[in-house]
Each structure stands twice: as C-alpha cells, then as structure tokens.
Amino acid sequence: MKKNEKLNKWLWKWHFIAGLISLPFIILLSITGGIYLFKSDYETPRQQHIKEVVVQGAPISLQEQWQIANSNAIKKPNSVVLTTKANQATQFVSGRFGGKSSLYVNPYNGNVSGEIISRNTDMFKIRKLHGELLMGKYGTKIVELIASWMVVLILTGLYIWWPARQWSAKGFFIPRIKEGKRIFFRDAHAITGFWISGLLILILAGGFPWTDVFGSNFKELQKITNTGFPKTWEGRHLQSQPKEEPLTLDQMVAKAQALQLSGIVTLHFPKGPKGVFSVSNLNPSNLNTQKKIHFDQYSGKQILSNAWDDVGVLMRGRMWVMAFHQGEFGAWNWWLMLITAIALTTMSISGLISYILRKRKGSWGVPKVPAAFKVGYGIIVTIIVLGFIFPLFGISLIILFIFDYIKLLRKKRSIALTD
C-alpha cells in the first residue's frame, strides 16, 4: 500500500494530540481492567466463611430459609440462587447491578452466615474506577470519550506504522536497539500496538454497551429494530391465576432443578399475588444455553419459555462482546485479556517515554503538517461517520478543530502585523 506522506503527517499530528491527552487514562483503564480479572481469586478466600457452611444433618425447608432472609436482609430478597453443593449457604439476592446485595443462610441451622453488599467490596471500587473513574456520570462520559478516541488512535496508528517503502519481518517483532532510546521506545509502542490492535477493537466493543451516550443509542437501536431481548423475557405482562395457596419455595425449586439448566441458576420471586415465578441461568461461557422460563405461582404450570434463539441479533452480539471483554469464555479468554491489559500498559508507557525523550523544552512537540495539505473527502466522510457512531468523539473533535482554527487565525494575524 502506497502511503500519502502529507496525510501521514496530518494523521500523526492528531494521533499525537489524542494520545497525549488519552495516555494517562488508558494506562489507568488497562491496569484496573487487569486487576478486575482477578475478582474471583481475590474474593473467594475472603468470602468463603460466608458462602460455605458445615454439613450437619438434614437441611431446613427453603420456605423457612426465605422467611429468615426476609427478616434479616437490608432489602427483601427478589430471588434465590440454587445451590449445587451440600456445603453451600443459600444465597438470597436483593436488588440488581450496583445495588445488589446477597444474604446467605445456613441451610442446616437457619443462622445468617453473612451478607455481601456489592458496592462495599474492594473489587466493586476497582470496577467503578475502571468504568467511571469514581466520578459517577461525569466519569462514565470521560471513559466513553477516551474509549472513542482509542478507536481513532488504533486506526490512525496502523496507518502511521505501516511501512512506506521497504518491509522487514524483523520490524514486526523486535524494536530497534542500536538507534537510541527514543527509537527503541517508539518501536516498542508501535509493534505492541500493531499486534493487539484487533483485540483492542473487540475489547472496546465489549465496553461500549456500558457507556452513557453510545450505550443509550445502542439500546434505542435495539428497540427500533426489535433486536434486543423479547418483550416476554422479563415476564412483566404475564400473570398467575390466583388460587388459595401458592407453591412453596421448596416445590418451585424442585421444578427449577428438574430443568437441568447449566451455569448459575436463579429463581426469581413473584411480584404480588398475580406475579409469576421465573427461572433463569447465567452461563457466559456458553451463551446459547441461557433461558428464561416463567411459571404460575399457584399451579406451577409453565406459562412461557424463552431460549437464546429468541433474543435479537444485536443483543446476542452485545452479550458476546461483553462476556469476551470480561474474560468469561474460559481460561483462554481470561489469559488473552490479561496479556492484552499488560501489552496495552506497556504500549502506553513506552509511547509516553518516547514522547518525553523527543520533546524539546518550551514546546509540546506536536508534529507539523504542510500548510498546503487538504483533507480528502474520504477522510472527511470517515470522520463524520465515526462522529455519528461515537457522539462524544464528534463533539470533542469539533472543539479541537475550533481551537486549531483559532490558532491558525492568530498566526496569520501576527504574520500580517509584522509585514
């Protein structure tokens, strides 16, 4: 591919500016993302005394355990997680996402072994730092802006790195050592970036659904195209036919167990006398096995069943990239995410060192672009498309162009005054 040298310099200028602003945030995101991968390793030993109990005799009924949970939980539980081992405490869940808390009941003596409130855990704080810089909605938008610019940094970086003349297989793998520190760190930045560029795009795709602006637009697109979860998935419009007595929790759990669903199986409680019991399973390693099944709370009759095939294509794609982003497809996925996090940190730090070694005193060291260069229509269209897909990127780019234009006008004015 023959490169346009003037375009190369123009792209390098914007790659340089965006990188300079973004690098500190990218380093933080890559480090916190890598740490969060160890969530299970960190929390399992610290929560073991709550989640595991000593097996002693026959367990008390789940209905009785439910009453104990209702009396002791901060908020009344809305679901119970089905246990798979005799030494597991029964987990009653209240709330969702950041407001989730889990109360654990010893099934043998009815004692509450403990309650885990998600927002109070160390890993929840790491996740909040990773997703919103501990700054709430403002932080989420900053992270979204940085992620949007990362897409641009990847695309421009690939073009800038692409050899203009001769190819060298060695140049794809090994930084130049004998040409000085700056060249070494620049090569380390470029080579690492080249090898992880495709993975980074995929990982970013898995992070964008959590964002405010892009995420909201994507959800709206799912609604318009009817490619999200089916309306029946949550069972909000389904009703039980009231009779004298509803099923006990033990009876309903027996029905849920008979389904033999894979992964973590949860039984959701009815909302009111006309509500329904719902059974769902979380199995990120094999999304195709996930189901949501609804039952009449009085007769126990199955009202409706939704399988993964009923979920729209955009939602299925979204869930896949989100699971990949979190390394949930097994050991290979986990190691791939960890290696990518380390590589991204290395790439960012080497880029920063290269800039410090290149920078002269009294100057930001921004690459100069020939005055006669004009951006082609293809680039303009690409920028507009990216601006629509990533609105915060589009807004930030307009602001940067305004500053650049004002700087150019001042330079012309100062030249005119000296003449």
Side-chain angles (χ1 to χ4, degrees), residues 102-396:
S102 295
L103 183 128
Y104 292 83
V105 177
N106 187 319
Y108 300 100
N109 57 25
N111 292 336
V112 174
S113 56
E115 187 166 16
I116 298 172
I117 302 170
S118 294
R119 64 177 177 271
N120 292 342
T121 62
D122 294 334
M123 279 298 173
F124 183 82
K125 292 179 177 66
I126 293 293
R127 181 169 182 163
K128 284 294 180 182
L129 181 59
H130 180 76
E132 55 187 50
L133 308 176
L134 301 180
M135 295 169 62
K137 290 290 184 181
Y138 295 105
T140 305
K141 288 178 176 62
I142 293 173
V143 171
E144 181 177 353
L145 177 61
I146 298 302
S148 302
W149 270 103
M150 280 182 72
V151 175
V152 178
L153 283 167
I154 293 165
L155 297 176
T156 55
L158 286 172
Y159 186 89
I160 294 163
W161 174 83
W162 201 265
R165 295 176 184 85
Q166 63 182 29
W167 290 77
S168 170
K170 186 179 178 182
F172 280 87
F173 300 96
I174 304 171
R176 287 168 287 182
I177 300 172
K178 297 180 180 180
E179 296 186 32
K181 290 180 181 179
R182 186 178 71 82
I183 296 297
F184 171 79
F185 284 109
R186 189 187 71 180
D187 283 359
H189 172 80
I191 292 169
T192 308
F194 169 76
W195 285 108
I196 65 171
S197 56
L199 272 173
L200 281 180
I201 292 289
L202 196 57
I203 291 167
L204 287 169
F208 275 115
W210 277 295
T211 60
D212 284 350
V213 182
F214 179 93
S216 298
N217 291 342
F218 191 81
K219 288 174 186 175
E220 190 61 33
L221 180 62
Q222 286 180 171
K223 288 181 183 178
I224 294 170
T225 57
N226 195 28
T227 51
F229 279 115
K231 293 179 179 178
T232 53
W233 187 269
E234 293 298 329
R236 291 190 181 95
H237 304 297
L238 301 177
Q239 290 187 347
S240 297
Q241 299 301 318
K243 293 182 180 178
E244 290 183 3
E245 291 293 333
L247 294 179
T248 64
L249 188 56
D250 299 80
Q251 290 172 316
M252 195 57 237
V253 165
K255 285 183 174 293
Q257 289 172 332
L259 297 170
Q260 295 185 334
L261 299 177
S262 56
I264 300 171
V265 182
T266 302
L267 175 63
H268 307 267
F269 304 144
K271 295 178 180 178
K274 289 188 177 181
V276 297
F277 275 114
S278 301
V279 179
S280 66
N281 64 318
L282 179 65
N283 192 22
S285 62
N286 188 0
L287 294 171
N288 294 325
T289 63
Q290 293 188 176
K291 293 183 177 182
K292 190 74 175 280
I293 306 167
H294 307 283
F295 295 85
D296 185 296
Q297 67 166 301
Y298 298 94
S299 66
K301 181 181 178 182
Q302 183 175 310
I303 302 174
L304 182 69
S305 175
N306 284 129
W308 191 244
D309 289 340
D310 300 318
V311 179
V313 63
L314 287 185
M315 178 57 79
R316 278 188 280 171
R318 171 185 168 184
M319 296 297 287
W320 193 95
V321 292
M322 287 171 77
F324 181 83
H325 181 97
Q326 297 182 98
E328 294 180 333
F329 287 129
W332 68 269
N333 187 194
W334 188 91
W335 279 106
L336 194 60
M337 292 303 99
L338 180 61
I339 291 167
T340 305
I342 294 170
L344 181 57
T345 305
T346 303
M347 182 190 74
S348 302
I349 292 173
S350 60
L352 200 56
I353 294 173
S354 176
Y355 164 72
I356 292 169
L357 293 173
R358 176 183 182 275
K359 184 182 178 298
R360 294 179 181 177
K361 287 185 178 181
S363 170
W364 284 100
V366 179
K368 293 181 179 180
V369 180
F373 175 72
K374 290 184 178 180
V375 181
Y377 290 114
I379 298 296
I380 293 172
V381 171
T382 303
I383 290 171
I384 292 171
V385 170
L386 286 172
F388 273 108
I389 296 173
F390 308 112
L392 294 184
F393 160 73
I395 293 168
S396 67

